[in-house]
Amino acid sequence: MIYKVTIGYGCVDRRTLLWAIGSSAVAVGGLNTASGAAANQSNEPTVAIEDQRVDDKTLTIERVTTDVEGQVFVQDQPEEGQNTIFVEVDVSPESEEPLTVELDTEIETSQMIEAWLIDGDRRDGDFDLLDIDEAFVSVDDNMDPDDFGVKYIEPAAGDEFNYPYYLYTPVPEGDVDEEKPILVEPNNTGQVADDLELHRERAEELVDGGGISRDISDTLTVPLLVPVFPRPESEPRDWSHYIHALDDTSVSIEDGPLERVDLQLLRMTEHAKNVTLADTQYSFTDQLILNGFSASGNFVDRFTVLHPERVLSVTAGGLNGMPLLPAEEFDGQALPYHVGIEDVAELTGEEVDLEALDETNQFLYMGAEDDNDTMPFDDAWTDDDLRELALDVYGEDMITERFPTAQEAYQEVGVEAQFRVYPDAGHTPRPAAEDIVEFHRRSIEGENVSELGENLTANVSIDVSVETASPGEEIVFDGSDSEGPAGTEIVAYQWESETGLEGTGESVNFAFEYQGEFTVTLTVVTDRGNTHQATTTIEIIGEDGETDAGDVPEEDDNDAPDSTGDETDEEDDNASDGSGEVADASDDTPGFGIGGAIAGIGGATYLFRQRLTDEESHTN
């Protein structure tokens, strides 16, 4: 596979390229990060460089296979700024193997380096990329090349986990003088398959740098562990067990190799710390940091709720708007796993520790244009009753209903979490990449993470010009301080009193002809087509100082008091009188003036569903 690359001179690294060419990046020479051991044995263009000590100004390139006149250059992996090019050498089909080259620039510190095989001129920044490999080079006798880079660890007899894992260990800058957490991103293959090799390849992509977790690992100098869990079609369990999402059927497995993969993951991390990395410079805390997206986002989100005492911080995205709710019930409905935690003790033998969960830093995010909804798929929701419950509790729309509902549920039980929606983003973690790294950095350093979240619910505010008024006195109701959820704008305001007064605009003037206490409801519509409400009460006092309304006489529509607003239109002339029927502030049907606003901003689906609901209620 050949990739056309056009870059600015001297400012690109391997992970940046992986992001640029997307999921197909693994086809570039297999990305032979495992010290060249699995290098491409075919006739395809290949460069392989192994971990090695550099005692002088020479470097060994293990293998170069090419059928064209090309170039190999070796560079560092800078976090930012210009790359350092250590050597560049012309190669051909006749080049010797291994190839020993003299460095143009001395490698002064132990580090990860990259070897690029290209057809073209690097200096022009326009060339055909043929292959890339990376390796660890050591200039320090105390730093063993075997301690760093990528390792593939298979379970041995006596290990309490049944599947292999990949471990990437970044090269520390100087001595490691503080304990580190281990970073975990579960593998997510995106399909069912009994062949474990398919799942292994996807895990290898992740650890090689095909995602954000390598950036977290290198930037924060924390090892990255990626398990190789299957997502079986028929063996050892059938397709209904969505292992990569840690769903209800997965947690319910009581025997066999897939029993409690969440506990197996914990044992993998202990094995990594106490066995695989035992002789390195690293020392570790008991806590983990987790990152995941889509199914693996569900996995780390649910894992965190099950094991909050073991998690320092978690970043989880692409969650279909439905993170696991840390509640046994919500809105009067019991919430079994994986909607809530009502039956977690029965499934796992342990109650959820909500205090520990509140101490865990959680960053839950979605793209505003994400339409990757698992709700229609039976492998994600094998229990139809659970699926219906999820729709009842979270709502239908992932961004405007489900995600805000989840935030409200978190707030209701007193568990802090940061929620974020990225405008114009679809089903991708890329817009959140910098925030994800920063979130984990702040968590490790003990800094505040709250400013990385945002409020997803609306703040509908009503200011009233007076606390009490006399019959017939005009009262100003002002909603101009109202705010929609983060990333939205309010495009319409609708006012209704329980006596039937109606108006539109940021503010209205209402006059009540009779004494009593009356409610006024403001409904706002956002540019996403959602409605939000708030209600206030006004007290109308008669000449005798009483508010008891007594019997309110009926009036003709022509005698109705006027209500005026900043943005009223001709329909205001049809406002109901002050003795009209009480309006139900909780009615799901939009009020006067709202229907047109919703339809005009893409809310036709809402109105269509409402019509179907009304028709169904008449036919049942």
Side-chain angles (χ1 to χ4, degrees):
M1 183 70 70
I2 297 176
Y3 292 90
K4 190 69 176 178
V5 180
T6 303
I7 58 175
Y9 168 71
C11 193
V12 68
D13 60 26
R14 180 172 174 277
R15 290 197 308 280
T16 301
L17 184 69
L18 285 174
W19 282 93
I21 61 181
S23 60
S24 62
V26 74
V28 184
L31 295 178
N32 307 313
T33 57
S35 302
N40 191 342
Q41 299 298 323
S42 72
N43 292 324
E44 292 183 0
T46 303
V47 61
I49 184 170
E50 294 189 350
D51 299 341
Q52 58 193 279
R53 293 188 185 277
V54 181
D55 297 324
D56 49 30
K57 293 193 65 175
T58 62
L59 182 76
T60 299
I61 300 172
E62 189 67 20
R63 181 171 55 261
V64 177
T65 303
T66 177
D67 57 1
V68 298
E69 300 287 333
Q71 184 185 74
V72 170
F73 66 88
V74 178
Q75 67 175 23
D76 61 356
Q77 293 183 337
E79 292 184 10
E80 58 184 35
Q82 295 291 309
N83 300 69
T84 298
I85 306 298
F86 298 116
V87 64
E88 49 192 339
V89 57
D90 294 332
V91 293
S92 70
E94 291 77 33
S95 294
E96 296 180 358
E97 296 181 357
L99 183 63
T100 301
V101 296
E102 185 171 343
L103 299 174
D104 298 325
T105 301
E106 185 176 355
I107 300 176
E108 297 180 348
T109 61
S110 300
Q111 60 185 284
M112 297 296 296
I113 61 171
E114 300 169 348
W116 290 48
L117 173 61
I118 64 172
D119 177 12
D121 192 335
R122 177 189 63 82
R123 295 175 183 81
D124 292 341
D126 187 3
F127 52 81
D128 290 335
L129 170 64
L130 305 180
D131 193 22
I132 314 175
D133 196 15
E134 66 176 10
F136 173 73
V137 293
S138 173
V139 298
D140 185 346
D141 290 338
N142 295 323
M143 298 187 73
D144 187 339
D146 291 339
D147 290 344
F148 307 100
V150 176
K151 295 181 175 66
Y152 182 65
I153 309 299
E154 296 191 76
D159 290 336
E160 296 183 322
F161 53 92
N162 301 318
Y163 295 95
Y165 67 85
Y166 276 98
L167 185 68
Y168 167 70
T169 308
V171 180
E173 296 181 2
D175 294 334
V176 180
D177 54 4
E178 59 183 16
E179 292 184 334
K180 298 279 190 177
I182 282 186
L183 166 65
V184 174
E185 178 171 0
N187 60 312
N188 174 22
T189 309
Q191 65 185 86
V192 296
D194 289 337
D195 184 3
L196 188 64
E197 178 64 13
L198 180 66
H199 306 296
R200 186 203 64 77
E201 289 175 356
R202 176 55 183 146
E204 185 181 26
E205 289 180 40
L206 283 177
V207 79
D208 279 347
I212 295 172
S213 288
R214 269 292 293 268
D215 291 333
I216 302 172
S217 177
D218 286 326
T219 302
L220 305 182
T221 321
V222 293
L224 165 63
L225 186 149
V226 178
V228 183
F229 288 134
R231 183 181 168 188
E233 182 175 11
S234 58
E235 292 292 339
R237 296 281 176 161
D238 66 24
W239 60 269
S240 67
H241 298 78
Y242 202 161
I243 302 297
H244 291 175
L246 199 62
D247 69 344
D248 58 325
T249 56
S250 301
V251 175
S252 300
I253 297 175
E254 297 181 347
D255 54 46
L258 285 171
E259 179 183 359
R260 293 298 302 276
V261 292
D262 57 318
L263 297 181
Q264 291 191 48
L265 180 57
L266 284 173
R267 294 163 191 154
M268 288 178 184
T269 64
E270 292 303 308
H271 184 273
K273 291 188 295 185
N274 298 323
V275 179
T276 310
L277 299 173
D279 297 327
T280 67
Q281 299 183 37
Y282 284 95
S283 58
F284 300 98
T285 70
D286 290 333
Q287 291 186 301
L288 309 171
I289 60 177
L290 309 178
N291 180 56
F293 186 81
S294 198
S296 67
N298 289 127
F299 190 112
V300 297
D301 168 56
R302 294 164 182 171
F303 181 97
T304 298
V305 176
L306 296 179
H307 306 284
E309 74 286 350
R310 296 299 307 274
V311 181
L312 173 66
S313 55
V314 56
T315 48
L319 302 169
N320 310 290
M322 297 183 290
L324 181 63
L325 302 182
E328 295 188 8
E329 66 88 24
F330 186 69
D331 279 349
Q333 299 189 78
L335 305 180
Y337 187 88
H338 53 244
V339 173
I341 62 173
E342 185 262 342
D343 59 346
V344 164
E346 179 182 345
L347 289 171
T348 68
E350 298 286 342
E351 298 279 355
V352 173
D353 188 341
L354 291 180
E355 290 186 5
L357 185 62
D358 186 42
E359 293 296 320
T360 302
N361 289 341
Q362 299 182 70
F363 183 71
L364 311 175
Y365 66 95
M366 292 286 296
E369 306 303 322
D370 192 339
D371 59 1
N372 190 70
D373 189 1
T374 62
M375 194 60 76
F377 298 101
D378 290 341
D379 55 351
W381 300 91
T382 56
D383 184 335
D384 285 339
D385 290 338
L386 189 64
R387 176 165 26 204
E388 288 299 321
L389 173 66
L391 285 170
D392 288 344
V393 171
Y394 292 101
E396 294 193 26
D397 188 277
M398 292 192 295
I399 308 303
T400 61
E401 295 179 280
R402 297 179 192 170
F403 215 35
T405 296
Q407 186 178 55
E408 291 175 5
Y410 262 80
Q411 294 168 347
E412 185 173 294
V413 299
V415 173
E416 184 175 359
Q418 310 310 318
F419 286 72
R420 184 78 173 268
V421 173
Y422 288 88
D424 304 320
H427 193 66
T428 171
R430 296 185 186 185
E434 291 185 4
D435 290 334
I436 290 170
V437 176
E438 178 65 9
F439 186 85
H440 288 296
R441 185 199 67 78
R442 294 188 185 191
S443 298
I444 293 172
E445 298 297 329
E447 299 177 8
N448 191 334
V449 297
S450 60
E451 67 182 43
L452 293 174
E454 61 188 7
N455 183 26
L456 303 181
T457 58
N459 175 28
V460 183
S461 172
I462 302 176
D463 292 326
V464 187
S465 58
V466 294
E467 294 181 2
T468 62
S470 302
E473 179 182 349
E474 279 199 347
I475 307 163
V476 180
F477 296 87
D478 188 349
S480 59
D481 287 338
S482 298
E483 297 178 342
T488 69
E489 293 183 4
I490 295 175
V491 296
Y493 299 77
Q494 168 63 31
W495 300 85
E496 287 183 301
S497 76
E498 67 175 88
T499 61
L501 297 173
E502 295 179 336
T504 61
E506 290 187 352
S507 65
V508 294
N509 299 338
F510 283 164
F512 296 86
E513 294 301 304
Y514 310 106
Q515 63 192 44
E517 290 187 352
F518 304 103
T519 59
V520 174
T521 299
L522 169 60
T523 303
V524 300
V525 185
T526 70
D527 53 0
R528 291 180 183 167
N530 296 101
T531 60
H532 307 273
Q533 288 185 336
T535 299
T536 190
T537 301
I538 185 67
E539 188 176 21
I540 307 300
I541 300 177
E543 293 181 0
D544 56 3
E546 297 293 332
T547 59
D548 186 5
D551 294 329
V552 179
E554 294 185 0
E555 297 183 16
D556 294 334
D557 288 347
N558 293 334
D559 295 331
D562 292 334
S563 61
T564 59
D566 292 344
E567 299 178 16
T568 56
D569 55 28
E570 294 178 358
E571 292 180 348
D572 284 343
D573 293 338
N574 297 321
S576 300
D577 62 46
S579 60
E581 296 294 322
V582 175
D584 184 1
S586 64
D587 192 342
D588 289 334
T589 303
F592 166 81
I594 294 294
I598 295 179
I601 57 175
T605 301
Y606 174 91
L607 297 176
F608 179 68
R609 288 175 180 164
Q610 184 63 42
R611 178 174 64 80
L612 290 180
T613 301
D614 291 343
E615 291 176 355
E616 186 176 282
S617 66
H618 288 305
T619 57
N620 289 340

